[in-house]
Amino acid sequence: MPDITRTTRVIAGIAPDAIPFDDLMAEQSPVILAGLARDWPLVREGRVSARRAADYLKTFYQDKRVVGYTGAPEIGGRFFYNDDISGLNFHAERVALDEFLERILAAAGTPDAPSYYIGSTDLGIYLPGLSDANGLTLDHSMFAHNLLKSIWIGNRTTATCHYDMSHNIAVCVAGRRRFTLFPTDQVHNLYPGPLEPTPGGQVVSMVDFRNPDYDRYPRFRLAQAAGQVAEMEPGDVLFYPALWWHHVEALEDFNILVNYWWNTTPVYMDTPMTTLLHGILSLRDRPDPEKQAWREMFDYYIFGPADHAAEHLPEAARGNLAPMDEMKARRLRATLLNKLNR
């Protein structure tokens, strides 16, 4: 585990219907809301035993197959690449959730057990009704866009350090979790791996946090200095903003996490990853003076105030520089597709 001494801020005593969403979004920093979900029925069952938690989950399951991931004992729970980065060190299969739960339970207490993991499984599709009985009060307007409720289940597994493009509220439901978190600017020091394939959909750090190779990844020490650790007990809730890097360790033989992902942008807005990929195609390998000139262009049109580039123009002449809406987004997307397909 990295030598990180900073711990994530903890707030205790928050009522489930009084989550300070505006403050969390304004601060844009991770925070643990201690015990916020302690009264969830699933949390209570998990405190009794893993068997009770698994049996409770099964009461909501309606036989749709989920994706289960299995890794050999040798990976030590770290879902990652194989040795030469030509593939992954685990395999995926479509499996009945109740069957996979039994695999996890049967492996408990076995030192050389395989690593079992169910990641980001939509609650509404696979466990309908669970979030109604075990949920947070999400009555803020920002949850009107792109809200996804997911469940993660496994034994002693590690989700290698990565980022998500959505804001996240993570609920430690059963077992214990450790999140190691890094601000967005630490991308330079975390040594991201290939853009594809990836172990879980997003690019991951190539550093093995259990035994960092500082000769190969010397800037990782800078990431450690900027990082923080969030230790979570059942019922604790962690908020962290979009694009924060996070390394997630499940610390018991049976663990459940429920998370809420959302964006505050309208659904018609494209993902910036598409822009990044096109930037690799169109900008990355240009001469440095051109790249610096385009940096200024992007600062002017994109990264500065949204209204800056059009404020001196008559409203009728602003075109794509005017505030975006669904119709403008459709027209602009069509223009881009036409240019890309030339």
Side-chain angles (χ1 to χ4, degrees):
M1 188 61 210
D3 183 17
I4 298 174
T5 58
R6 182 185 293 109
T7 58
T8 299
R9 183 166 65 102
V10 177
I11 302 176
I14 299 293
D17 60 352
I19 302 173
F21 290 118
D22 289 331
D23 293 341
L24 297 179
M25 294 299 289
E27 292 169 4
Q28 288 291 291
S29 183
V31 62
I32 295 174
L33 306 177
L36 184 70
R38 62 179 175 271
D39 292 328
W40 284 16
L42 182 52
V43 173
R44 293 199 298 264
E45 294 297 313
R47 287 189 181 277
V48 176
S49 69
R51 165 57 66 188
R52 287 277 292 269
D55 287 346
Y56 181 81
L57 284 178
K58 291 178 185 180
T59 65
F60 297 92
Y61 181 52
Q62 297 184 0
D63 297 329
K64 290 186 177 180
R65 289 186 168 253
V66 301
V67 179
Y69 302 97
T70 302
E74 291 74 27
I75 74 171
R78 183 182 182 231
F79 285 80
F80 193 63
Y81 296 98
N82 58 17
D83 290 341
D84 62 1
I85 322 298
S86 62
L88 303 174
N89 68 354
F90 58 92
H91 72 270
E93 61 181 317
R94 283 282 177 184
V95 64
L97 175 61
D98 49 2
E99 175 190 332
F100 207 78
L101 287 170
E102 291 303 318
R103 292 189 203 177
I104 299 171
L105 293 173
T110 305
D112 59 348
S115 298
Y116 294 122
Y117 183 52
I118 294 172
S120 191
T121 298
D122 189 298
L123 285 178
I125 295 174
Y126 296 96
L127 293 165
L130 181 68
S131 64
D132 294 331
N134 303 264
L136 301 178
T137 302
L138 304 177
D139 55 2
H140 196 284
S141 60
M142 68 181 174
F143 295 112
H145 302 295
N146 307 322
L147 179 63
L148 175 64
K149 303 175 185 179
S150 297
I151 193 167
W152 312 67
I153 309 168
N155 54 3
R156 296 178 183 268
T157 59
T158 298
T160 306
C161 190
H162 63 285
Y163 67 89
D164 299 311
M165 288 184 281
S166 300
H167 304 292
N168 200 324
I169 291 176
V171 184
C172 183
V173 177
R176 296 177 298 117
R177 295 264 172 173
R178 177 186 297 124
F179 280 72
T180 306
L181 300 138
F182 303 91
T184 58
D185 60 4
Q186 292 307 304
V187 60
H188 305 278
N189 302 320
L190 287 168
Y191 297 90
L195 292 176
E196 57 182 28
T198 64
Q202 296 287 6
V203 63
V204 302
S205 171
M206 296 301 294
V207 180
D208 185 349
F209 281 32
R210 298 169 301 188
N211 185 28
D213 183 344
Y214 294 112
D215 291 331
R216 188 172 184 181
Y217 307 116
R219 294 193 309 277
F220 184 60
R221 292 188 187 275
L222 299 175
Q224 289 177 292
Q228 58 181 272
V229 175
E231 301 277 1
M232 300 179 68
E233 298 289 331
D236 288 345
V237 174
L238 172 66
F239 163 79
Y240 55 94
L243 298 171
W244 270 66
W245 290 77
H246 48 287
H247 183 82
V248 189
E249 298 167 274
L251 303 176
E252 304 286 351
D253 287 340
F254 186 79
N255 304 269
I256 303 173
L257 183 88
V258 167
N259 83 303
Y260 302 80
W261 273 324
W262 78 98
N263 289 109
T264 57
T265 52
V267 294
Y268 58 74
M269 292 185 66
D270 284 352
T271 168
M273 179 54 71
T274 302
T275 308
L276 189 148
L277 292 173
H278 192 249
I280 292 174
L281 173 66
S282 63
L283 289 170
R284 186 195 60 190
D285 295 335
R286 290 182 181 272
D288 190 63
E290 290 186 32
K291 289 168 66 173
Q292 297 309 313
W294 278 109
R295 184 195 298 271
E296 296 297 329
M297 290 284 198
F298 273 72
D299 284 344
Y300 180 75
Y301 285 104
I302 307 298
F303 297 114
D307 60 352
H308 177 62
E311 61 187 1
H312 60 286
L313 299 174
E315 185 171 347
R318 292 178 179 179
N320 288 326
L321 298 179
M324 192 61 59
D325 58 28
E326 186 169 3
M327 186 57 66
K328 287 192 183 74
R330 288 181 181 179
R331 288 198 298 262
L332 184 54
R333 190 174 294 112
T335 299
L336 289 170
L337 288 171
N338 184 57
K339 290 180 178 295
L340 289 170
N341 290 327
R342 63 185 180 181

